[in-house]
């Protein structure tokens, strides 16, 4: 594809915590945390409430994104652990994946600092709405299956690996658009929209959505618009975004946690009837041209245009599986090696059942991977990057 890929709307600087059960043991005892206090819904206002939230999610084996009262809370918490500074945000991580696959992109950023300038590869250019440098780090907690934390009155044991995101990021809450976004979109073959999930002012959200729609008028008629849902801090805002942007969206993506939030219940991801019902319910809520749900076992697209995205789905699953087993250092060769690995049998059976039951549905089973230290952070963003790479390459062969 000769035209550019514009990925937005906001990037982040991430503090990726190195999981250490002994540190969590020490903090849990220092703060006197007890099992009955574990909750995923209480406000996160200090180090103790952040610790309680992390342990509650670990106990359930789920992933999430949550708001924190201040960046100082994150700085204090992460000071207890070894951690790595990386770049995040769906657009940025997707761009890093595309770079690894030899595909350049243009980022739309709402904040900038020396970490961003240092860590963005040469193939990733950017436009930015910020007028000064700022740093509001996102805390990324990646925990393994069997993560074990001892409390004063019992233990926490994770049933599955997953990742958690905690942040207080004023630039991403404001989501100020760069004045040259419309010019960038005029030459775009792909526009990735994400990041509205962090906004908390409804009037400001409405303004930004109107501005995005105006900028999108510059897009060529055959451009692909991909929207990634993500975990909304204020869930009702997701409905506002859909109401304003759904007619312009070609592919509407979400992960298993977001699917379950939409249908209002837990979903057994390997139960065929349960998944078919959930996908049907999600389609009723979000009547997208292609609604993509990506999970640890499968990725499925439903909707009238779903069929045209099978190759992109397969690319997305292969690239995400490669990150799961290889981490940040994935290469195109690694992706090719992943292709030879076995698929998840339960995922294959489920995809076949869904394709039989739902008109226009297409799916791809995930890979069956046994990895001692898997990478779970950024898998959804990596999936998006892999999907866009597959979409670009499919168009090149048309």
């Amino acid at each position: 594809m000769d035209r550019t890929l514009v990925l937005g709307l906001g990037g982040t600087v991430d503090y990726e915590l190195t999981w250490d059960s002994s540190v969590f043991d020490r903090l849990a005892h220092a703060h006197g945390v007890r099992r009955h206090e574990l909750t995923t819904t209480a406000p996160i206002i200090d180090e103790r409430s952040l610790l309680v939230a992390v342990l509650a999610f670990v106990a359930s084996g789920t992933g999430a994104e949550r708001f924190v009262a201040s960046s100082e809370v994150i700085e204090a918490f992460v000071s207890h652990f070894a951690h790595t500074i990386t770049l995040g945000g769906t657009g940025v991580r997707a761009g890093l994946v595309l770079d690894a696959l030899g595909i350049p992109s243009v980022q739309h950023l709402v904040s900038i600092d020396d970490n961003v300038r240092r860590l963005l590869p040469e193939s990733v250019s950017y436009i930015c709405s910020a007028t000064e440098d700022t740093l509001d780090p996102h805390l990324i907690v990646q925990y393994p299956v069997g993560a074990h934390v001892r409390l004063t009155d019992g233990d926490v044991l994770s049933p599955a690996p997953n990742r958690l995101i905690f942040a207080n990021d004023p630039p991403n809450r404001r989501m100020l658009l760069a004045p040259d976004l419309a010019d960038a979109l005029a030459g775009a073959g792909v526009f990735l929209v994400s990041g509205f999930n962090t906004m908390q002012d409804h009037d400001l959200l409405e303004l930004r959505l109107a501005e995005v729609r105006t900028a999108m008028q510059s897009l060529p008629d055959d451009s692909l618009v991909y929207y990634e849902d993500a975990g909304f801090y204020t869930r009702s805002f997701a409905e506002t975004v859909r109401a304003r942007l759904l007619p312009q969206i070609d592919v509407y993506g979400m992960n298993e946690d977001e699917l379950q939030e939409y249908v209002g219940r837990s979903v057994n991801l390997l139960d065929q009837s349960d998944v078919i019902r959930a996908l049907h319910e999600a389609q009723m809520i979000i009547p997208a041209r292609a609604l993509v749900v990506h999970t640890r076992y499968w990725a499925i697209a439903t909707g009238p245009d779903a069929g045209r995205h099978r190759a992109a789905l397969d690319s997305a699953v292969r690239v995400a599986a490669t990150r799961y087993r290889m981490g940040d250092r994935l290469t195109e060769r690694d992706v090719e090696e992943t292709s030879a690995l076995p698929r998840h049998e339960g995922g294959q059976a489920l995809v076949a059942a869904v394709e039989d039951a739902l008109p226009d549905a297409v799916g791809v089973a995930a890979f069956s991977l046994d990895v001692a230290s898997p990478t779970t952070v950024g898998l959804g963003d990596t999936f998006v990057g892999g999907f866009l790479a597959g979409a670009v390459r499919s168009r090149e062969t048309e």
Side-chain angles (χ1 to χ4, degrees):
M1 177 181 289
D2 294 331
R3 299 204 301 269
T4 58
L5 288 77
V6 179
L7 313 180
L9 291 163
T12 67
V13 174
D14 291 349
Y15 289 175
E16 291 191 26
L17 179 149
T18 301
W19 181 267
D20 189 332
S21 291
S22 66
V23 178
F24 277 103
D25 289 348
R26 175 171 56 80
L27 289 175
H29 282 79
H31 287 291
V33 177
R34 296 181 178 273
R35 281 198 61 87
H36 75 272
E37 296 181 272
L38 300 187
T39 176
T40 62
T41 59
I44 300 172
I45 60 174
D46 54 22
E47 181 177 276
R48 189 181 193 279
S49 54
L50 176 53
L51 174 65
V52 166
V54 170
L55 295 179
F57 282 115
V58 170
S60 65
T62 55
E65 186 165 347
R66 290 293 183 267
F67 179 72
V68 179
S70 71
S71 294
E72 286 73 20
V73 172
I74 290 173
E75 294 279 5
F77 188 84
V78 81
S79 69
H80 298 286
F81 297 87
H83 66 281
T84 304
I85 299 176
T86 62
L87 298 183
T90 297
V92 173
R93 285 196 184 277
L96 296 177
V97 169
L98 290 165
D99 171 72
L101 301 178
I103 301 173
S105 64
V106 178
Q107 294 290 331
H108 178 283
L109 302 176
V110 296
S111 60
I112 191 77
D113 80 329
D114 285 341
N115 290 299
V116 178
R117 298 184 185 96
R118 172 173 56 88
L119 294 173
L120 275 182
E122 288 186 6
S123 77
V124 180
S125 57
Y126 65 86
I127 57 177
C128 184
S129 61
T131 58
E132 61 182 6
D133 283 18
T134 56
L135 174 60
D136 293 284
H138 291 215
L139 171 64
I140 312 295
V141 180
Q142 175 179 252
Y143 60 87
V145 62
H148 184 199
V149 180
R150 297 176 176 85
L151 309 185
T152 58
D153 63 344
D155 293 353
V156 169
L157 190 69
S158 68
N162 221 311
R163 67 93 181 98
L164 306 167
I165 303 173
F166 301 94
N168 184 321
D169 190 334
N172 274 284
R173 286 205 304 278
R174 288 192 295 269
M175 200 57 71
L176 181 65
L177 300 185
D180 43 354
L181 175 59
D183 290 341
L185 293 181
V190 170
F191 182 34
L192 169 63
V193 181
S194 66
F196 287 123
N197 60 302
T198 63
M199 296 189 70
Q200 296 182 346
D201 182 315
H202 192 265
D203 290 341
L204 187 58
L205 174 64
E206 289 277 20
L207 175 61
R208 295 294 181 252
L209 290 169
E211 292 171 344
V212 166
R213 289 204 314 271
T214 298
M216 290 172 68
Q217 292 175 6
S218 299
L219 281 168
D221 291 341
D222 61 345
S223 294
L224 175 74
V225 177
Y226 188 113
Y227 173 80
E228 183 70 6
D229 187 271
F232 273 76
Y233 293 176
T234 305
R235 175 44 63 182
S236 62
F237 284 14
E239 184 176 352
T240 300
V241 176
R242 289 199 308 278
R244 304 294 177 261
L245 292 187
L246 194 57
Q248 285 78 41
I249 293 170
D250 297 300
V251 180
Y252 191 114
M254 68 177 68
N255 67 20
E256 60 205 62
D257 298 318
E258 291 135 22
L259 171 68
Q260 292 171 113
E261 284 192 28
Y262 275 116
V263 301
R265 60 183 174 83
S266 62
V267 178
N268 183 336
L269 298 174
L270 291 176
D271 183 288
Q272 297 174 10
S273 61
D274 200 12
V275 170
I276 289 168
R277 182 161 66 97
L279 291 173
H280 177 71
E281 292 168 359
Q283 260 194 300
M284 298 300 291
I285 298 168
I286 308 168
R289 291 195 283 273
L291 176 64
V292 170
V293 180
H294 44 94
T295 79
R296 70 192 73 182
Y297 302 119
W298 44 263
I300 293 173
T302 61
D305 289 351
R308 69 178 60 178
H309 300 300
R310 185 184 292 275
L313 274 181
D314 188 63
S315 172
V317 168
R318 284 187 286 111
V319 174
T322 305
R323 178 174 174 81
Y324 182 85
R325 68 186 188 88
M326 301 299 297
D328 288 331
R329 63 185 185 278
L330 72 88
T331 65
E332 191 151 20
R333 182 185 180 92
D334 295 326
V335 175
E336 292 172 0
E337 292 174 353
T338 296
S339 301
L341 298 176
R343 301 278 181 163
H344 191 280
E345 291 184 0
Q348 288 180 313
L350 189 134
V351 165
V354 169
E355 290 183 339
D356 284 342
L358 297 180
D360 304 321
V362 298
V364 176
F367 289 86
S368 182
L369 302 175
D370 184 9
V371 180
S373 299
T375 298
T376 55
V377 61
L379 288 183
D381 305 334
T382 302
F383 178 95
V384 174
F387 187 101
L388 298 181
V392 167
R393 288 169 175 171
S394 292
R395 291 189 177 190
E396 287 174 346
T397 61
E398 290 177 355

